[in-house]
Amino acid sequence: MMTSAISARLADFIVNTRFDDIPTSIVIKTKRHILDTFGAGLAGARSDEAVKTAQVLKLLDGGGQVPLWGTGRQAMPGYAAWANGIACHAFELDDTGGCDHSGAVVIPAAMAALALCKAPISGKTFITSVVLGYDVARRALEACGAYEPHNEAGWHSTATCGTFGAAAAAGRLLGLNEEQMRWALGLAASYSGGLWAFIHDGAQSKRLHAGNAAQGGLTAALLAKEGFTGPGAIFEPVWGGFSRTFAPQSEDREAWLRELGSNWKMQRVSIKPYASCRSTHAAVDAVDELMKENELKSEDIARVEVRLNAFVEGMCGGRELEPMSRTQMSIPYAIAARLVWENVGLTAYGREQRHHPDIARVLELVELSVDDAMAADEEPTVTLVVHSGRRYVRRVDVPLGSPTHPVSEEALVAKYRSLALMVWDEQTANRLAETTLGLDDLNDMDDVVQLLATAPHSVGVFS
């Protein structure tokens, strides 16, 4: 069979990278992202999407040994990866800047793979698999020319690129050799797919994409382990090749191997402080900074002017209040939530909060204007106009949660706790946080699996 240099190098990297090869800073960051993803998935168990997924699982799955986080139920590995991936992405709380949403894809797949491992898996081995999954998932997107051109073409990169990260992480845990890993990567491409059509009406398919990628990557690794072959030319410039097919105008095939093993892609991933699309965050930060620095109150604001690029306006310029998923893509609502509720966390997106009269009033104050000269990756400029006519202007180029502007340890744990406590008591929530942040000292990941299997004390749909 044909074997490309890219497939061979990637397979070697995934199979042979050791925990000690990974910088300490990346290990620490990875543990933070694992905890953040657990929190997103636990809260997501109370989403409408997760509840509907559970109903479908009753028809498809006869039961298994992998926890559906925050539910007290279990499923077979593939379906658990699928359901947990959907839950992790359900409330727009999961990390971003990888494939894009690498945590919601890689970590559910890796956790599901644990059930199929014959020997105990240490925390260090699990961390290694997650680091590799994030790395390969991001490289897939960069091979498509990075976020803007791939997504502007209509592809949801979490779905198209995440499968490679899931396959890498699961394959590493399952002990694939280099030949099998090449097949797994080739097979992962056959699970790539997912379109941005949901943006027009807030359809729940966006959440499905993370689950599909997690399940697809895990399945690719399992098939490869059984000798099911994948195309060796998948990364080559041939008819049917991945980037030639998904990104013919923007492909950058060299990105698959560029600085492999030295430029760890985990270091560029962001943790979200707000329960909204990442493209809304810089505008929220700008409003927050101006309000605090100038000691302004929401009643002082006469108008909010937002100058932004056409790409972000098309994606996040809506003002719909239903469904919640559509509202979470809205810059005007995110700004209004900051002004009215003084936070843009998950509670700010509850139905009662979305339909509050003060939100309706403040939404009327937010004006968007497209600047065609702005690049697609350029952050918005926000102007607060007070009743006296005075104007306060700010552009935040590095939003809170970015690797160079990280959320603090205290804020990370506070976010996680606020989400975990939606389903668990404090003792269970705290135990998972402590165990996860000390993962590199853990001899057996079964400790984490058992915690995630804990039944909820609180149920019901948050919408």
Side-chain angles (χ1 to χ4, degrees):
M1 293 184 64
M2 176 185 292
T3 299
S4 76
I6 295 175
S7 290
R9 285 279 306 280
L10 282 175
D12 173 72
F13 174 64
I14 298 165
V15 170
N16 296 312
T17 295
R18 302 168 302 163
F19 177 82
D20 291 342
D21 296 327
I22 302 170
T24 300
S25 61
I26 298 298
V27 170
I28 293 171
K29 194 173 192 306
T30 301
K31 292 186 293 184
R32 286 166 58 91
H33 283 266
I34 294 172
L35 180 64
D36 188 64
T37 302
F38 285 159
L42 289 167
R46 290 190 56 184
S47 68
D48 183 58
E49 292 91 334
V51 171
K52 289 173 178 173
T53 300
Q55 290 299 113
V56 172
L57 283 181
K58 292 179 180 179
L59 304 175
L60 298 177
D61 184 59
Q65 69 276 47
V66 181
L68 303 180
W69 310 345
T71 69
R73 299 189 300 274
Q74 296 178 319
M76 294 296 288
Y79 284 124
W82 182 60
N84 287 329
I86 290 170
C88 285
H89 193 43
F91 285 141
E92 292 290 342
L93 291 160
D94 50 315
D95 62 22
T96 184
C99 65
D100 184 36
H101 297 281
S102 293
V105 174
V106 171
I107 294 170
M111 289 300 300
L114 291 176
L116 300 165
C117 297
K118 295 181 179 179
I121 299 296
S122 70
K124 287 182 177 180
T125 300
F126 187 79
I127 290 170
T128 303
S129 75
V130 171
V131 170
L132 293 168
Y134 272 69
D135 208 86
V136 173
R138 178 64 196 184
R139 289 178 182 279
L141 179 54
E142 292 179 358
C144 290
Y147 182 82
E148 284 79 18
H150 188 55
N151 282 270
E152 282 182 334
W155 296 111
H156 187 203
S157 58
T158 299
T160 56
C161 302
T163 55
F164 297 101
R172 175 57 188 261
L173 289 170
L174 293 168
L176 269 60
N177 61 34
E178 292 179 36
E179 181 179 51
Q180 292 167 335
M181 191 63 75
R182 292 197 300 270
W183 292 340
L185 293 172
L187 291 168
S190 291
Y191 291 96
S192 294
L195 300 169
W196 269 90
F198 58 79
I199 196 65
H200 304 294
D201 55 10
Q204 294 174 322
S205 60
K206 183 175 192 285
R207 286 71 165 105
L208 179 67
H209 293 167
N212 284 353
Q215 182 183 37
L218 173 64
T219 304
L222 289 170
L223 286 168
K225 188 173 178 64
E226 293 299 321
F228 200 112
T229 62
I234 197 65
F235 304 127
E236 297 304 313
V238 297
W239 180 54
F242 174 71
S243 56
R244 177 176 171 179
T245 302
F246 282 92
Q249 304 303 317
S250 61
E251 66 174 322
D252 177 12
R253 290 178 51 255
E254 293 181 3
W256 283 109
L257 303 179
R258 188 179 294 126
E259 299 177 304
L260 189 67
S262 59
N263 181 356
W264 298 92
K265 300 304 178 179
M266 172 62 78
Q267 67 189 348
R268 72 167 322 283
V269 186
S270 301
I271 286 176
K272 285 184 171 184
Y274 313 127
S276 58
C277 175
R278 184 59 170 170
S279 293
T280 71
H281 289 203
V284 172
D285 285 345
V287 171
D288 188 63
E289 290 180 10
L290 290 173
M291 295 291 287
K292 290 177 177 176
E293 288 176 11
N294 299 285
E295 298 182 347
L296 298 173
K297 299 178 180 178
S298 64
E299 54 264 32
D300 297 327
I301 307 302
R303 189 167 69 256
V304 182
E305 300 171 358
V306 183
R307 182 170 61 86
L308 72 173
N309 65 66
F311 175 62
V312 172
E313 194 278 335
M315 184 168 61
C316 298
R319 299 167 186 262
E320 295 87 347
L321 300 178
E322 294 292 342
M324 184 176 74
S325 57
R326 186 72 183 100
T327 312
Q328 288 178 293
M329 300 297 294
S330 168
I331 284 180
Y333 184 88
I335 290 172
R338 167 57 187 86
L339 292 175
V340 173
W341 307 122
E342 297 187 1
N343 83 85
V344 194
L346 184 57
T347 57
Y349 285 88
R351 180 169 284 110
E352 182 178 346
Q353 286 74 21
R354 298 199 305 274
H355 291 279
H356 196 281
D358 287 348
I359 285 289
R361 175 182 60 82
V362 175
L363 274 173
E364 293 294 324
L365 306 180
V366 181
E367 301 176 0
L368 305 184
S369 62
V370 172
D371 184 344
D372 291 328
M374 293 178 70
D377 60 352
E378 194 171 347
E379 299 292 1
T381 296
V382 176
T383 302
L384 298 184
V385 184
V386 298
H387 291 291
S388 68
R390 185 170 181 179
R391 301 167 65 85
Y392 301 90
V393 183
R394 180 65 49 87
R395 185 176 79 179
V396 174
D397 290 319
V398 184
L400 179 62
S402 301
T404 56
H405 187 191
V407 295
S408 66
E409 190 82 0
E410 181 182 15
L412 171 72
V413 173
K415 174 191 172 184
Y416 159 78
R417 279 174 48 82
S418 72
L419 302 175
L421 291 175
M422 290 176 65
V423 296
W424 285 343
D425 58 33
E426 286 202 26
Q427 182 180 8
T428 305
N430 291 344
R431 282 180 60 201
L432 182 61
E434 293 165 4
T435 303
T436 303
L437 293 176
L439 212 55
D440 41 345
D441 294 323
L442 195 66
N443 292 323
D444 191 344
M445 282 295 295
D446 190 58
D447 293 354
V448 176
V449 173
Q450 294 306 314
L451 282 168
L452 289 169
T454 303
H457 71 74
S458 180
V459 294
V461 176
F462 181 94
S463 63

